[in-house]
Each structure stands twice: as structure tokens, then as C-alpha cells.
Amino acid sequence: MDADFIIYNIGKLYTPYLTPPIHGKEMSDIQVIENAFIAIRDGLILDFGDHKYKQYKSRQTKMLDAKQMIVTPGFIDSHTHLVHAGSREDEYAKLRSGTPYLEILKAGGGILGTVEQTRKASFDALYHQAYASLTEMMHYGVTTVEAKSGYGLEIETEVKQLEVSKKLNEDHPVTVLSTYMGAHAVPREFQDHEEDYIKQVIADLDTIKTLDLATAVDVFCETGVFSIEETKEILERAKALGFPIKIHADEIDPLGGAGLGVDLGATSVDHLMAISDKDIRKLAYSKTVANLLPGTSFYLNKGYAPARKMIENQVAVSIAGDYNPGSCPTENFQFIMHLASNKLKMTPEEILTAVTINPAYHLHMDHLIGSIAKGKRADLVILDAPNLNYIFYHFGVSHTKHVMINGQIVVEDRQIVRES
Ligand code: NIG
Ligand code: FE
């Protein structure tokens, strides 16, 4: 069968190949093919391997010479707060001089500051700001993004955020998956009667379900935000409605959100800087993926999640960017990957698993994306590096030469060539 597109002369092709979730020590198990090719047809991978691509070549086939560079599956950023209005650079000065993140929130700033701006913002303003960020992420090799709501904290604005994500998914080459996060903070108008807000979020879950605007539900389980009991109540209702569930867990205080996530069958538990040893053991061999966000530790000057301990205990780990205006204002996913290497002490192979197949699994997309495999979507990154180790070593820059999404080149020779 003829290919539409062939990428040839690939120095080294790297891909996970085991069935996810890939736990702990198996995360190092990566297939490497030297002098490889990838043949693509109708947006999907027709075949890949070493050398023998000529059988797929016709006069119409577009050819891309990878010039001995390396190729990996497109990166999957499985935790972002992509759609929001404004920015919080004033807060950065406070954080830098030592004011704790939760104190800023308690005083009505932080997430609540972005809520105020997002409520006021038009659909178009939110759309354009997020569109630009998405393009920036794509430049770093990100081909799929999970985007959470949670800056409305009232149904109208939550729906507006989710509709922006939906339109971005339709318009932008990057795949955008939406998560409803009405339980991101307690809004100002409910400060003295939080229990009523929980009831509101639970009622709003039905609306989100009816409108079919989200593929998952997330809760921020933290001191002063939502307790273990409240998180459980919200997520049990979400589960009953058929939503996959996630938890922002044990980020600052060790409340036990990770253990709750395993008990409830969460697809991922995220952050985990303060996770207990008991909950690491609970995560071991489970289907709940530990989604670590080292950019947040870096920006907030906090400790890092115990990634090595998790990997040694056979936990399935993924890495995500957590792009948001308050605790991780960057779209540079390759810097996040550097932090996973430098601060979480993960190996290049473990990190590749953690930004491809493991996040594809917890986003319920591993049948389509997350590895270079026949029949999967041709979402690929061609990186200007002699080997995988190099991209973790040479930090702070983008190594992306070309990016392909759905069989179409979207970044060519470092330039964005397709934005819609
Ligand atoms: O994942 N932790 C809670 N939510 C975000 C921060 C959101 C914000 O500060 O605006 C996070 O870090
Ligand atoms: Fe987050």
C-alpha cells in the first residue's frame, strides 16, 4: 500500500511498546530503531522500522529527510489549566519573598483572582489567549493537551471555559481534551457556607454531562480548599455519571488524596509532592497513574514529588506541565522534561514513557496516541539531537525541528506552518 508521507533517514526512533499503564521499572523499556523510517497514510502510521520504506513510496508520496535526527511520539501534556484570562505577575513578587501560595488564596487572591478575570472575559478573549499558548506548546513538541476548567466556579463561566476548549480542539491542530474542575476553589460568594458550593458543584455535574463538555472531572483536595470527604462526595457523583475522575492530591499537605484516588479508581492523581509512603504502596501496580508536575515545585520553590521512590515501588508515573497563571506559568514542556530529569532524577527512557504512553493511558487515548505503532495516529516529534539523552542535557531551549499531528506537518524547520 502506498504511503501519503514517509519520514526517512531517522538517526534513532524511540518509542514505548509495552501495554500501559507501564509501572515503575518497566518504564525504562523503550524500543530504539536506528536508521529508521515511518510511513504514514490517512493520518495514521502505516508502518515503521529500519530502512525498507521503498515499498511504500509512490510518485505522490511526500518525503521528509530526518537527516539522522531523532524521532519520538508527540508529547502529551496531561494536566493544564489552559483556558484562563489575565496573568498574575504581581503575585510572583509575593511568592518570591516567601508568602505561601495557600495564604494568597485565603486572602482572596490566587485562583480567585483569575476567577474574577475569567468571569469578565469574553469567549473570544479566552479563546485567543489559549490559542496562542497552545501554539507555543506545539512548538515544544506537544501534540495533545488536557485542559481543565475551574476559573469560573459558577456554571456559566465553567461552560464558557469548556466551550473554548472544545472550539480549540476543533480549530487548532493540537488535540484538546476537557476536564471539568468546578471544585478548583471555593468562590468568594460561598466562603461562609462551603457546603452549599459542594451541593452546587454536584448539581452542575449533571449539566456538564448533558452538555457533553468534559471527558473527566477533577477536584483540588487540599487544606482550605476541598477536604477528603468533600472530594469523595463530588467524585462519587461524577463516577456515577460515568466520568473518569482525577484528583489534585497531596500537593502541599499530605491529606491522603492519592490513596482516595486509588480507592475510587481515579485515572490519575496529580502533584503528590507530599504523598505518604502508605499511599505510594497503594499506587503500586494500580491502574491509577501518578501524574507529577515538577514545573510547579520549581516555580513555587517547593519540594519535588518522590519520583524515584514511586518508580522503585512499581507506580505508573506520568509527567505534565500544569500550565496555569498561578503556580506554573510556562508552556515550555521541554523545560518540564528537563526538571523531571534534573529534580525528579528520572532517566530519559522513564521520562519518555511518562510524557507519551502513560498519559495517553490515563486520558483514555492509548488506542490512538502515545507510541509509534501501526494504526496509531501519526503524532510525531523530530528533534534536532543525536540521541535521547541530549534533549535532557541541553536545557531551556526547544530541540524541536519538525512536529507532525495527524499525519500533517505543523512545525517545519522550527517554524509554525499550520495553526489550524
Ligand atoms: O494545579 N493546585 C491547584 N491548581 C493549580 C494552580 C492554579 C492557580 O494558581 O491558578 C495547580 O497548581
Ligand atoms: Fe493543576
Side-chain angles (χ1 to χ4, degrees), residues 79 81 88 101 111 151 184 220 248 251 271 296 322 324-327:
H79 179 143
H81 302 258
R88 308 217 303 259
Y101 177 79
I111 295 174
Y151 290 121
H184 192 199
F220 188 11
H248 277 59
E251 175 180 352
H271 285 290
T296 309
D322 196 22
N324 76 74
S327 70

Side-chain angles (χ1 to χ4, degrees), residues 221-222 226-233 250 255-260:
C221 180
E222 187 59 69
F226 297 98
S227 67
I228 286 281
E229 293 70 30
E230 292 164 342
T231 304
K232 189 162 178 250
E233 201 184 334
D250 305 312
L255 299 190
L260 174 68

Side-chain angles (χ1 to χ4, degrees), residues 3 82 128 134 172 213 217 222 228 252 256 281 283 291 294 319 342 347 361 364:
L82 175 71
H128 290 302
L134 208 48
H172 200 283
L213 279 174
V217 172
E222 187 59 69
I228 286 281
I252 297 160
R281 285 193 296 273
L283 277 170
N291 199 15
I319 296 290
N342 194 295
T347 67
Y361 173 79
H364 291 175

Side-chain angles (χ1 to χ4, degrees), residues 192-310:
D192 303 323
H193 49 112
E194 185 171 343
E195 51 310 333
D196 291 335
Y197 187 62
I198 314 284
K199 286 193 196 120
Q200 188 61 55
V201 169
I202 290 173
D204 291 348
L205 281 169
D206 288 282
T207 312
I208 300 295
K209 184 76 192 175
T210 312
L211 296 174
D212 193 21
L213 279 174
T215 50
V217 172
D218 196 343
V219 174
F220 188 11
C221 180
E222 187 59 69
T223 308
V225 194
F226 297 98
S227 67
I228 286 281
E229 293 70 30
E230 292 164 342
T231 304
K232 189 162 178 250
E233 201 184 334
I234 296 165
L235 292 180
E236 275 177 345
R237 177 65 190 151
K239 246 180 93 170
L241 288 170
F243 284 110
I245 56 172
K246 305 178 164 292
I247 308 179
H248 277 59
D250 305 312
E251 175 180 352
I252 297 160
D253 291 330
L255 299 190
L260 174 68
V262 178
D263 292 341
L264 293 177
T267 56
S268 74
V269 285
D270 301 46
H271 285 290
L272 312 180
M273 283 110 98
I275 191 174
S276 67
D277 285 355
K278 184 169 144 253
D279 280 357
I280 292 182
R281 285 193 296 273
K282 254 180 131 167
L283 277 170
Y285 298 105
S286 81
K287 290 192 165 168
T288 302
V289 177
N291 199 15
L292 310 183
L293 318 171
T296 309
S297 299
F298 177 81
Y299 179 78
L300 296 179
N301 266 309
K302 290 286 210 180
Y304 287 83
R308 283 263 50 95
K309 204 184 237 181
M310 291 180 189

